Amino acid sequence: MSKFARTLSILIVAIMLGVALASCGTTPTEVPAEPVVEEPAPVAEETTEPEPTEPVETPLVVAYQDFSQKFSPFYANTAYDHDVANMTQIGMMTTDRVGAIVFNAIEGETRTYNGVDYFYNGVADLAVDYDEASDTTKYTAHLRDDLKFSDGEPVTADDVIFTYYTFLDPSYNGSTTLASYPIIGLRDYRTQTTTEVYDKYFQFFEDVYTAGVIANYGNDDFTTKYFNGAVWDEMSDGTKVAYAMRMWGFGKLFCTTEVAEGEEAIKVADCKDPVAFKTAGTETVYDLVETFPTMEDYLTEVMAVYENDIKAAFPYESTNEVDVFKDAQSAFIGEWGPKDEAMGGEGVANISGIKKIDEYTVEVTTKGYEAPAVYSILGISITPMHYYGDPEKYDYENNMFGFEFGDLSKQESLTATPMGAGPYKFIKYDNRVVYFEANPYYYRGCPKISEIQFRETASNEVVTAIETGAADAGEMSYNKTRYEEVMTYNGNGEMTGPVITSSLVDNLGYGYIGINASTVNVAGAPGSDASKNLRRALATVLAVYRDVAIDSYYGEAAAVINYPISNTSWAAPQPTDEGYKVAFSTDVNGEPIYTAEMTQEEKYVAAEQAALGFFEAAGFTVEDGKVTAAPEGAKLSYELIVPGDGIGDHPAFAIITGARDSLAKIGMELVINDPADANILWQSLDSGQQELWTAAWGSSIDPDMYQIYHSSNIVGLEGSTEDNHYHITDEELDQLIIDARKSDDQNFRKAVYKEALEKVIEWAVEIPTYQRKNVVIFSTERINIDTLTPDITTFWGWMNDLELVEMN
């Protein structure tokens, strides 16, 4: 069973792996400086300096699910690829066993968990300061001064600056949400337009576009003759303005003689050179040789045509989930803003809210306050500028940041070969195995194990691989069959014994079934009631099979959830909360579908009948208890992709097969696509063409919903994180997400998030399925279990303190 999980952000993996792998650097010949060994006891004084030891040669082999070879700290987008990247990285943020930030990480802090004191330290001291007077928040990171990358180069504030500018470049298309926060000067830099000029053209475009008059747009003579890339590029700015005005109906082209005669617009074919242009409002004539309209002239014409009341003319409404207005507006501002005279031809050289204070200190200032921002702003990995960028192009004082503005080709070219200051160096990916070697410069000391391998292994073979010695550790697909398999190998009826040691904690994430609103809708309108009812019909039938399927697969190791959020989050609605509802348990009239007295079989029948009601409300033809015809844009057959290794090994597989059979009874077909290679699913999601699918989300410490559900992050949109695979676009949902971000009141945020989660359910684009336990198993025989980090939690993974792990 392949349980790929796309992470909510690079941040959380950096925190849980790269960051937590953090605390004290050495070289092959240096003595470690204050090595920190995490023991379950208070640390009050400095530890003695141990003699450096030679790493042992026995490799640690970890069984892993399939990789997609995006091993970059910038571009990794599956949990497994992130794990590879973060073996090589360090992050600025350190968190403890409950996910709380350790702000004084250089000196370190002792915190109690489960009655035991643990000492935490890391690579940087962090600070967050909100100033009410200016309504700004300052985020500060001060690095320790002894950090080195795995090639021996020092880690400095310049590397942090480079990392920020990579994430914030307008051409960046990775999964971080860093650019969604109001960093001072960020918009100016990304648009190369100052706020004053930006606002000018923002309003300018809104006025022009809202006018909504498109005249002669299409395959007329002028368009055919002149509107192609080569000719357009050769046009002067003034000619382009005239052309744009003509296409929007604010002017007409004439031959010179016909202007004099006052005749109407002519066909270009009848005139050798359309050298004159007359505006529609003021009837000003430009010869397009010596005189041209300007942008200000354009606005004047608009105002003249609509008598200064263009707001009342043809308001634009977005359709088919893409806000064409915003896209066009952005392109317009990006084209004309930087050319404004007020810009002086200089553009915007830097992001004013990001400052290098000294060789090891960086500050980031944002407008206002947003609760999740600290995790994105201070939770980054520190990437080596000299590797991912060009040192010749870095000069902070002269606004050079390691690459040309808008060109991340160097960073992209190294996606498959990560490098950083983490505990291990990436060597290669070969024959489905990732090879790592110990980093002798790692600041917590050279790792005890000299070589680690991440070996791709089918999920149903992990237990056998550890028992036979093909692997030493791995995440187990925790179901009843695997559970019994481990206990059999141990011979003691327990999950931990002489052969295999198991670690079970709640997984920071959850399983779900997704529905793409862009491909599963009626009449091409994803947000219509009809489209929602279509998806509700499918979701209702899928949801009724969850209880039996999840219990059968996981037993006590998982539970069904009813909201699209991990139960590990403080924001997750609980059954005891007021207004808590079972997902998709009401019919088209809002009445309960099920009663407490119903048997499971009776519930299946009830779900089928409820689905018919939703289908009929969606415009489907329903006759004699079956769907016989679909409305425009909808179908009688949909595909669901499930990454079950081609053999149905997936916790949701029984849900899907049960739903398929129920839907068949009422005239609908659910086609199950179970590819042997899970990358087929990810490729489909990336293309935005999938209909239904099943996967799992990895969650973050903060329950911010922006990356997954905000309309700006729909797959395919420019500047998007491309994680909104549901293609949900809802202004109310967007506002709820932003409102929750801006408060530090947890009770308020929880209430707002509940509204937002209910909005997702209303759209019926996600069926929450299960919250499972994370089960990592180790070879008791080959790994020194006593050297694993103690008290593994949801927020503190087994790879924390990885440099201390030893083989037997």
Side-chain angles (χ1 to χ4, degrees), residues 24-35 47-53 144 146 148 440-446:
C24 128
T26 65
T27 71
T29 58
E30 292 175 339
V31 176
E34 291 190 21
T47 58
T48 58
E49 296 183 345
E51 292 295 323
T53 58
R144 52 189 293 165
D146 58 351
K148 291 185 179 181
Y441 297 101
Y442 185 47
Y443 76 106
R444 295 186 72 176
C446 187

Side-chain angles (χ1 to χ4, degrees), residues 390-409:
D390 182 351
E392 295 297 319
K393 295 180 179 179
Y394 187 89
D395 184 342
Y396 176 79
E397 298 300 331
N398 290 297
N399 298 309
M400 298 170 64
F401 304 109
F403 58 93
E404 297 293 337
F405 177 85
D407 180 10
L408 299 181
S409 56

Side-chain angles (χ1 to χ4, degrees), residues 67 79 88-89 128 168 193 238 244 270 303 354 369 402 450 466 518 574 576 612 761 770 796:
F67 300 109
T88 69
Q89 303 298 311
V128 179
L168 297 173
T193 307
D270 298 330
M303 300 301 284
I354 298 180
Y369 172 83
S450 62
I466 291 177
S518 180
Q574 300 301 317
T576 55
L612 285 172
I761 295 293
Y770 61 87
W796 186 265

Side-chain angles (χ1 to χ4, degrees), residues 631-645:
E632 177 190 355
K635 304 188 300 182
L636 296 179
S637 176
Y638 289 97
E639 179 190 66
L640 193 156
I641 306 175
V642 51
D645 290 339

Side-chain angles (χ1 to χ4, degrees), residues 29 32 74 192 228 268 284 457 462 468 513 580 634 660 685 744:
T29 58
F74 299 114
Q192 286 299 290
N228 62 73
V268 174
T284 303
T457 307
V462 173
T468 60
I513 296 172
Y580 183 92
R660 175 198 60 193
L685 293 177
D744 61 357

Side-chain angles (χ1 to χ4, degrees), residues 638-781:
Y638 289 97
E639 179 190 66
L640 193 156
I641 306 175
V642 51
D645 290 339
I647 58 174
D649 190 8
H650 192 281
F653 201 78
I655 297 174
I656 298 162
T657 55
R660 175 198 60 193
D661 296 341
S662 279
L663 287 168
K665 293 177 183 178
I666 59 174
M668 289 292 292
E669 180 182 43
L670 184 64
V671 178
I672 300 175
N673 179 0
D674 177 13
D677 182 359
N679 283 312
I680 291 174
L681 168 61
W682 304 133
Q683 291 163 7
S684 179
L685 293 177
D686 289 342
S687 72
Q689 299 304 306
Q690 83 287 359
E691 293 176 339
L692 291 87
W693 74 100
T694 184
W697 283 118
S699 301
S700 62
I701 295 173
D702 188 275
D704 183 27
M705 296 173 65
Y706 183 87
Q707 183 172 344
I708 307 302
Y709 302 105
H710 197 277
S711 60
S712 65
N713 291 322
I714 288 175
V715 172
L717 293 185
E718 183 177 358
S720 164
T721 65
E722 303 203 343
D723 287 309
N724 183 346
H725 300 298
Y726 310 108
H727 292 240
I728 182 173
T729 174
D730 187 292
E731 290 184 1
E732 290 184 20
L733 175 60
D734 287 349
Q735 190 59 52
L736 288 168
I737 291 171
I738 298 302
D739 289 346
R741 273 185 158 196
K742 292 182 179 297
S743 174
D744 61 357
D745 183 331
Q746 193 171 97
N747 290 329
F748 170 80
R749 296 184 73 204
K750 181 173 181 176
V752 173
Y753 279 132
K754 186 172 184 292
E755 286 187 63
L757 295 169
E758 289 172 343
K759 182 67 69 173
V760 175
I761 295 293
E762 175 195 317
W763 269 71
V765 292
E766 182 176 344
I767 302 97
T769 52
Y770 61 87
Q771 169 73 58
R772 67 173 175 83
K773 288 190 178 296
N774 219 16
V775 186
V776 180
I777 55 178
F778 309 91
S779 170
T780 310
E781 299 170 319

